[in-house]
Amino acid sequence: MAKDSFGVWEIVLPAVNGQPAIPHDSKLKISMVVPNDHARQERVPAWIKRVTQDLEFSPYYDARFWNPPQDQRYVFKHPRPPKPASARIYEAHVGISSPEPKVATYKEFTYNVLPRIRNLGYNVVQLMAVMEHAYYASFGYQINSFFAASSRYGLPDDLKELIDTAHGMGIVVLLDVVHSHASKNVEDGINRFDNTDHLYFHEGPKGYHESWDSRLFNYGSHEVLRFLLSNLRFWMEEYKFDGFRFDGVTSILYTHHGIGTGFSGGYHEYFGPGVDEEGVVYLMLANEMLHNLYPACITIAEDVSGMPALCLALSLGGIGFDYRLAMAIPDLYIKWLKEKEDIDWDMGNLAFTLTNRRHGEKTIAYAESHDQALVGDKSLLMWLCDKELYTNMSTLSALTPVIERGLSLHKLIRLVTHGLGGEGYLNFEGNEFGHPEWLDFPRVGNNNSFHYARRQFNLVDDHLLRYRFLNDFDAKMQWTEARYGWLHSAQAYISLKHEGDKVIVFERAGLLWIFNFHPNSSYSDYRVGVEHEGTYKIVINTDSPAFGGQGRIDEGTRFFTTDFAWNGRKNFLQVYIPCRTAIVRISPSLIYAAVKQGVGADSSQVLALENTIG
């Protein structure tokens, strides 16, 4: 083997009789005498593209030389979709994407789940746990082979088919990439690859994450930067991913990795000695490279600290991400469901949390993600309905107060998050229909059970169960956003936060949003301010019987504005707003004017709106 100028050892094996020296799909290892103790060690190549596990022989992964003949390689059929103006993200895990207690496959996801995502109206899929991880219960966050797509779900070409099929549906595909740390595995990972602890990672305690029990990269090493940057480009080129959700960004940004540290928002926390400048530079390089090579690429940062300029371009002094995750929003909902009565929900605090973001830095809002569903916690609907999910979700049984409350708040929480919370929206697989219980992967502590490591799509497919109402409402939200584009519109103007009435009113993208969170009080002739005059009609009604509501609102009603200032707006209109209900209204004249100017609509929409106005 020869050592190149970057300190990397390599060997070139010439072809034999016109065929690769190493046959396709052969098992292989690197055997070397390491410099520190001159002992012979065997390792899985750090850049290997496929590794497999056979538990009948060993718990360790074997490297496979994946090099199929040209005529057997998957050929992509569809171009990448354009970068969406509004990101409506469906976060998914391939392995749990089946009602059956098993590890689902790439092919099953392609044929069974992608059509659901398309029909719901999502335009982005964010895939978790694709990079190979030895421990399934790690949720894909203990990576041992960074260039290998997990073999537990199928072959590399199966993943390519999944992504290509999504592209054919107009769906962008993001990879949940883990560059914040690595598995501490030695035999089948990159830890102690040369028998030292500092080839890819920091030496000593600095290179160990005490909470994650994993290794921390040395972002100051040029070869580590080459390894990580080439890893990003590999996933973009080989599999045609459209971007990345970067996991654990807080750990990369700070030398304390966010452990035992709270963030008050003071700038000393973001620009003091606790910042890991080498980590910041890596993220800058990653974003600059990706956006220069792939202008339509999307990058999302998972950061709890609120680092300023995280989502500004490098040319503006930022780190370069497109979006950050609004991680405080789901925490608020879980905290309130655990600790507060419904009547004590603070409308001002809710509105503040949903809008607490830096202007010009785009945010992905969500009511719950995989974090809230993990064992020890549970899904929002499970918090709302608890044991009655097992007994009273049938449409053949009476609608109990508990189920009625659960369905109503589930819709309100998701709609107010969608409309007010950010410039993108995320939903975790199954939560669109109120998936019950929680997530718990097979492990020793649960007798290696798959019972909670699955998504029960059979519940929403059963039309005698009320889950379908939530699923249909979620689709209504996504497709209505696709039509009116509030996620890529200017931030909302909130005209009312009434603590006594438990009402929030705001305007965004020409839409008037009215929420009544009160558990008991309904209001007739409730006066709300609105900037633009006109005749308004309902486009979303959470109380519709189609969504499991009580049908207390006549959706054919037109609402006329009065030229009188109210709550800081030029006009007002009066509405009936039942308890635990939200309605979204639009003035057709506003959309008609936008269409006439050629804003986001075609001639068929003009005709449809002319008929509506008439």
Side-chain angles (χ1 to χ4, degrees), residues 377-451:
D377 214 322
K378 49 190 176 183
S379 69
L380 276 182
L381 194 65
M382 197 70 189
W383 277 112
L384 288 163
C385 300
D386 203 50
K387 62 183 180 182
E388 287 205 20
L389 284 183
Y390 301 115
T391 57
N392 295 312
M393 283 297 278
S394 171
T395 57
L396 301 178
S397 62
L399 181 65
T400 67
V402 169
I403 297 298
E404 191 278 328
R405 169 184 177 263
L407 296 180
S408 298
L409 286 179
H410 194 273
K411 289 178 287 187
L412 262 66
I413 286 170
R414 300 178 104 69
L415 185 60
V416 75
T417 303
H418 213 309
L420 200 55
E423 291 70 40
Y425 177 80
L426 179 143
N427 167 71
F428 179 64
E429 181 178 17
N431 289 344
E432 67 275 8
F433 62 83
H435 199 285
E437 301 167 336
W438 49 86
L439 275 172
D440 190 11
F441 285 82
R443 55 189 174 85
V444 174
N446 64 11
N447 294 319
N448 292 310
S449 171
F450 282 86
H451 181 75

Side-chain angles (χ1 to χ4, degrees), residues 371-558:
D371 288 326
Q372 284 70 45
L374 289 172
V375 63
D377 214 322
K378 49 190 176 183
S379 69
L380 276 182
L381 194 65
M382 197 70 189
W383 277 112
L384 288 163
C385 300
D386 203 50
K387 62 183 180 182
E388 287 205 20
L389 284 183
Y390 301 115
T391 57
N392 295 312
M393 283 297 278
S394 171
T395 57
L396 301 178
S397 62
L399 181 65
T400 67
V402 169
I403 297 298
E404 191 278 328
R405 169 184 177 263
L407 296 180
S408 298
L409 286 179
H410 194 273
K411 289 178 287 187
L412 262 66
I413 286 170
R414 300 178 104 69
L415 185 60
V416 75
T417 303
H418 213 309
L420 200 55
E423 291 70 40
Y425 177 80
L426 179 143
N427 167 71
F428 179 64
E429 181 178 17
N431 289 344
E432 67 275 8
F433 62 83
H435 199 285
E437 301 167 336
W438 49 86
L439 275 172
D440 190 11
F441 285 82
R443 55 189 174 85
V444 174
N446 64 11
N447 294 319
N448 292 310
S449 171
F450 282 86
H451 181 75
Y452 296 110
R454 58 196 177 111
R455 296 284 88 179
Q456 298 181 57
F457 292 113
N458 55 296
L459 297 176
V460 72
D461 292 340
D462 188 339
H463 282 201
L464 292 179
L465 296 178
R466 293 187 168 99
Y467 294 100
R468 66 180 174 89
F469 296 136
L470 298 180
N471 189 78
D472 291 346
F473 179 74
D474 196 85
K476 178 68 172 179
M477 282 197 305
Q478 311 313 326
W479 286 112
T480 306
E481 197 289 326
R483 181 176 183 183
Y484 298 113
W486 60 74
L487 288 174
H488 64 270
S489 298
Q491 191 163 319
Y493 182 91
I494 304 173
S495 60
L496 181 64
K497 297 169 286 187
H498 198 294
E499 295 300 340
D501 293 346
K502 299 301 175 189
V503 171
I504 294 177
V505 179
F506 62 89
E507 293 157 82
R508 190 178 187 187
L511 299 165
L512 175 63
W513 310 65
I514 306 168
F515 291 81
N516 180 7
F517 281 90
H518 202 288
N520 305 307
S521 296
S522 300
Y523 308 109
S524 58
D525 296 327
Y526 198 87
R527 185 175 291 188
V528 298
V530 61
E531 187 68 10
H532 298 286
E533 65 179 9
T535 302
Y536 284 73
K537 69 182 183 97
I538 295 173
V539 293
I540 297 179
N541 168 26
T542 65
D543 197 48
S544 168
F547 308 135
Q550 300 180 44
R552 294 167 289 181
I553 297 173
D554 181 358
E555 296 187 24
T557 304
R558 295 295 185 265

Side-chain angles (χ1 to χ4, degrees), residues 179-200:
H179 282 182
S180 48
H181 64 127
S183 166
K184 67 178 184 180
N185 287 20
V186 175
E187 288 82 358
D188 54 5
I190 60 173
N191 185 27
R192 302 191 67 87
F193 192 83
D194 65 345
N195 214 35
T196 71
D197 68 347
H198 56 271
L199 182 63
Y200 289 95

Side-chain angles (χ1 to χ4, degrees), residues 77-127:
K77 305 174 183 65
H78 305 286
R80 285 189 170 105
K83 189 173 185 175
S86 296
R88 301 184 300 275
I89 303 171
Y90 194 90
E91 182 185 39
H93 183 294
V94 171
I96 67 172
S97 299
S98 170
E100 300 174 47
K102 66 175 187 178
V103 177
T105 66
Y106 295 123
K107 283 191 173 292
E108 288 174 313
F109 190 94
T110 301
Y111 301 135
N112 300 333
V113 182
L114 280 181
R116 294 180 184 272
I117 297 170
R118 175 194 58 198
N119 293 339
L120 283 165
Y122 289 91
N123 56 6
V124 181
V125 173
Q126 180 179 298
L127 290 180

Side-chain angles (χ1 to χ4, degrees), residues 244-470:
F244 302 93
R245 178 248 196 207
F246 281 74
D247 180 70
V249 166
T250 306
S251 180
I252 300 175
L253 291 173
Y254 304 97
T255 55
H256 52 67
H257 310 295
I259 301 173
T261 303
F263 292 92
S264 65
Y267 281 87
H268 66 285
E269 298 167 342
Y270 305 124
F271 301 105
V275 175
D276 187 335
E277 294 183 3
E278 292 173 345
V280 172
V281 169
Y282 164 65
L283 293 173
M284 289 177 170
L285 286 172
N287 278 292
E288 189 73 0
M289 180 196 77
L290 288 169
H291 289 110
N292 282 339
L293 292 176
Y294 316 99
C297 177
I298 297 173
T299 58
I300 301 172
E302 188 218 22
D303 170 45
V304 300
S305 75
M307 168 67 80
L310 185 67
C311 299
L312 290 181
L314 184 62
S315 60
L316 298 176
I319 295 177
F321 285 98
D322 292 291
Y323 298 93
R324 72 191 324 145
L325 293 175
M327 303 183 72
I329 296 174
D331 291 344
L332 177 75
Y333 293 136
I334 294 295
K335 180 178 176 64
W336 282 6
L337 290 174
K338 287 179 179 179
E339 301 175 3
K340 287 180 178 284
E341 298 294 328
D342 296 354
I343 195 65
D344 297 324
W345 284 24
D346 185 331
M347 297 296 100
N349 190 9
L350 176 59
F352 172 77
T353 302
L354 288 167
T355 57
N356 183 24
R357 55 189 185 274
R358 288 185 174 82
H359 182 73
E361 295 195 55
K362 293 188 290 187
T363 297
I364 302 292
Y366 57 104
E368 54 183 332
S369 72
H370 67 271
D371 288 326
Q372 284 70 45
L374 289 172
V375 63
D377 214 322
K378 49 190 176 183
S379 69
L380 276 182
L381 194 65
M382 197 70 189
W383 277 112
L384 288 163
C385 300
D386 203 50
K387 62 183 180 182
E388 287 205 20
L389 284 183
Y390 301 115
T391 57
N392 295 312
M393 283 297 278
S394 171
T395 57
L396 301 178
S397 62
L399 181 65
T400 67
V402 169
I403 297 298
E404 191 278 328
R405 169 184 177 263
L407 296 180
S408 298
L409 286 179
H410 194 273
K411 289 178 287 187
L412 262 66
I413 286 170
R414 300 178 104 69
L415 185 60
V416 75
T417 303
H418 213 309
L420 200 55
E423 291 70 40
Y425 177 80
L426 179 143
N427 167 71
F428 179 64
E429 181 178 17
N431 289 344
E432 67 275 8
F433 62 83
H435 199 285
E437 301 167 336
W438 49 86
L439 275 172
D440 190 11
F441 285 82
R443 55 189 174 85
V444 174
N446 64 11
N447 294 319
N448 292 310
S449 171
F450 282 86
H451 181 75
Y452 296 110
R454 58 196 177 111
R455 296 284 88 179
Q456 298 181 57
F457 292 113
N458 55 296
L459 297 176
V460 72
D461 292 340
D462 188 339
H463 282 201
L464 292 179
L465 296 178
R466 293 187 168 99
Y467 294 100
R468 66 180 174 89
F469 296 136
L470 298 180

